[in-house]
Amino acid sequence: MDPIGDELLEVVVAELGYRERPGQHTKFGEWYSTAVVRDPQYRTAPWCDMFIAWAADKADVADYVGRFAWTPSHARWFETNGAWSAEPEPGALVFFDWSGGDDIKGVDHVGIVERVDGGTIHTIEANVDRVWLKRKVRDQEKVVGYGLPRKVRENKENLARSAVEDGAAPAGRPVEVRPADTASLTLSDAGGALPVLLEPAPLTVLACLVLGWTFLVARWRPRPAPAGRHRRSGRRRAGAERRQDLID
C-alpha cells in the first residue's frame, strides 16, 4: 500500500464505531461547516464524504484526497486529476451508485478501501446503516469507480518536475532592483549581473533636471510680431521714398 493510503487508514480505523448524535449532528459535519465552508447547514448534512475530508486533513494528505461533501464533485475531482480508476486498491476511495449506474453524476456514497479480496472489497464507510461509521464488505456491482490519492500526488509531482525542466521556474538569481533612493537599475541572471543600464544618481537631482527642461521647453515659443508693426514700417518706408523722389 502507498504511504498516503496507510496514513489515511490509520486515522480512519481509529474512528470505527462512531455514531452520529441526535438531529444528525456529527463532529465531522461540525468541523466541515467551520473549517472548510463556514456554512452551518453542513453540521447536519450527510457525512460520508465530510468524514473522509476530516480524516485526510488530520492525516495531512488533503491535497491528494480532497475536501468534499458532495460525492459526485469528489469523484469528478479525481477524474480531472487523472486519478480515476476501475480497479480497486487499498487506500483508494470507492464511489457507489445504489441504482447500479456507471456515471459519475449518479454517485450516491463514498468509502475507503481497506483491502481487496478477489471481486470483493472490504471498506470503511461513514453514515452507513443510518448512523454508523463501520466496516463493510461489498461486491463491485454498485461501484462507479475508484479515486486514487497516490495517483493525484504522482501527477502533481510530474507537473512540477516538467515545469522546472521546461524553464517555467527560472534558475539563477532573480531580477534585482536597487533601493528607491537611487535611479540605478541592475539586471542579473544565472551568470551574474548584466551591464548597468543607468548610473546611480539621486532621484531628486534627476527629477529637477527633467522638470527644469520640461519647463523651459514649455515656455519657449517664438513671439509673434506686434500687430500693425509691418504696416507702420511700410508707411515710414513709403514717406522716405517720396522725400527721396523730391530730392532727386
Side-chain angles (χ1 to χ4, degrees), residues 168-237:
R173 290 174 295 172
V175 173
E176 175 188 353
V177 180
R178 298 189 61 166
D181 60 347
T182 72
S184 174
L185 179 64
T186 303
L187 300 179
S188 61
D189 58 14
L194 294 173
V196 175
L197 301 181
L198 182 64
E199 289 299 327
L203 283 178
T204 52
V205 174
L206 286 176
C208 289
L209 289 174
V210 172
L211 290 173
W213 179 254
T214 302
F215 177 80
L216 289 174
V217 169
R219 293 283 295 174
W220 182 83
R221 291 188 181 89
R223 292 187 178 182
R229 177 179 178 181
H230 294 291
R231 289 195 294 271
R232 287 198 298 271
S233 296
R235 285 196 297 271
R236 287 196 298 269
R237 187 164 53 249

Side-chain angles (χ1 to χ4, degrees), residues 39-232:
D39 187 337
Q41 69 176 327
Y42 284 87
R43 293 173 182 168
T44 58
W47 50 286
C48 62
D49 214 0
M50 292 191 293
F51 163 65
I52 292 175
W54 176 89
D57 190 78
K58 190 169 184 180
D60 198 24
V61 294
D63 287 346
Y64 314 118
V65 176
R67 286 179 168 183
F68 291 85
W70 180 242
T71 50
S73 296
H74 200 172
R76 189 71 69 192
W77 180 80
F78 278 107
E79 183 184 55
T80 301
N81 280 278
W84 186 249
S85 175
E87 298 297 326
E89 61 181 60
L93 274 63
V94 52
F95 294 88
F96 299 93
D97 179 352
W98 300 135
S99 66
D102 59 1
D103 194 317
I104 284 177
K105 291 186 291 186
V107 168
D108 298 308
H109 182 64
V110 63
I112 302 171
V113 178
E114 188 173 23
R115 63 188 178 92
V116 181
D117 185 10
T120 301
I121 54 175
H122 297 254
T123 65
I124 296 176
E125 302 170 28
N127 196 26
V128 291
D129 298 336
R130 299 187 62 180
V131 295
W132 292 99
L133 195 165
K134 62 193 299 187
R135 285 187 169 101
K136 301 290 286 186
V137 179
R138 307 277 195 187
D139 59 35
Q140 298 188 56
E141 181 181 357
K142 307 292 185 181
V143 173
V144 179
Y146 300 88
L148 309 181
R150 66 167 181 82
K151 195 67 177 176
V152 174
R153 181 176 64 178
E154 289 173 12
N155 291 338
K156 288 187 176 184
E157 290 174 349
N158 288 338
L159 284 174
R161 190 178 303 113
S162 297
V164 172
E165 292 173 354
D166 293 342
R173 290 174 295 172
V175 173
E176 175 188 353
V177 180
R178 298 189 61 166
D181 60 347
T182 72
S184 174
L185 179 64
T186 303
L187 300 179
S188 61
D189 58 14
L194 294 173
V196 175
L197 301 181
L198 182 64
E199 289 299 327
L203 283 178
T204 52
V205 174
L206 286 176
C208 289
L209 289 174
V210 172
L211 290 173
W213 179 254
T214 302
F215 177 80
L216 289 174
V217 169
R219 293 283 295 174
W220 182 83
R221 291 188 181 89
R223 292 187 178 182
R229 177 179 178 181
H230 294 291
R231 289 195 294 271
R232 287 198 298 271

